[in-house]
Amino acid sequence: MPLPHRVLLLPGWQDSGPGHWQSLWEAEHGFERVQQADWFWPKRGDWSARLDEVLLAEPAPVLLAAHSLGCQLVAHWAMHSAHTARVAGALLVAPPDTAHPDAPPQLAPWRDIARGRLPFGAITVISSDDPFCAPERARAMATDWGAEVVDAGPRGHLNAASGLGSWPEGLALLHTLVPA
């Protein structure tokens, strides 16, 4: 069943490759990937400004489907943007612990994790063996964001290497974010 809202895909650091569920959703459902100027040295302000730019071009509220650093983007953007009413809901998948001492230097601008409550409905999907975020850290972020938590079990970083394919379970979660 098609969604009544457009869906914006927010990939994480280094973008999402061809076998990633975001890329498959883009190809199969026509969802729009928000392109960033620099996928390898992401600047939080630049990524947030780009999200605002794309949202301002949308005629109606959208759903966000974020993966990894895209989750941190949503949280940071929501704290600073005047355009949060343009979002109907957000699916936040595998938020990384960018404050971890072992985080790559390219993610230094993201070390301060946004912890404010999101002004729209959200679901955070976590994995019990995500190499980029311990489940208790991911759960704490989701709680701060006011997001429902869905534990996907031991699925790694919930990316192409996790073998999710088109990830119908994730698409079903996205459908539950549609406001009544």
Side-chain angles (χ1 to χ4, degrees):
M1 170 193 329
L3 286 158
H5 296 280
R6 284 192 26 92
V7 176
L8 297 181
L9 302 168
L10 304 174
W13 180 44
Q14 300 180 5
D15 200 2
S16 294
H20 194 285
W21 58 267
Q22 286 184 318
S23 298
L24 297 173
W25 286 6
E26 182 179 26
E28 295 169 10
H29 305 289
F31 299 164
E32 179 185 347
R33 178 184 311 249
V34 174
Q35 294 292 340
Q36 296 293 348
D38 192 341
W39 291 109
F40 295 93
W41 288 90
K43 293 182 176 56
R44 197 163 54 179
D46 291 353
W47 279 32
S48 292
R50 177 66 181 139
L51 180 54
D52 257 347
E53 180 183 338
V54 171
L55 283 168
L56 287 171
E58 291 293 329
V62 301
L63 293 171
L64 303 176
H67 179 256
S68 194
L69 194 61
C71 301
Q72 301 296 354
L73 168 60
V74 171
H76 173 77
W77 168 84
M79 286 179 47
H80 301 284
S81 178
H83 308 294
T84 58
R86 292 179 172 267
V87 174
L91 180 65
L92 308 170
V93 181
D97 185 356
T98 53
H100 194 279
D102 292 338
Q106 295 91 326
L107 302 183
W110 301 83
R111 295 231 193 279
D112 182 26
I113 296 173
R115 297 290 193 157
R117 187 171 187 81
L118 297 174
F120 39 79
I123 297 170
T124 302
V125 183
I126 67 172
S127 168
S128 60
D129 65 350
D130 189 333
F132 302 110
C133 190
E136 58 275 4
R137 289 279 293 166
R139 197 175 294 280
M141 283 184 261
T143 298
D144 290 345
W145 297 334
E148 175 187 343
V149 176
V150 173
D151 188 335
R155 304 296 288 269
H157 195 48
L158 296 161
N159 55 13
S162 300
L164 300 174
S166 293
W167 198 33
E169 301 89 352
L171 193 60
L173 290 171
L174 190 63
H175 274 271
T176 68
L177 287 165
V178 175

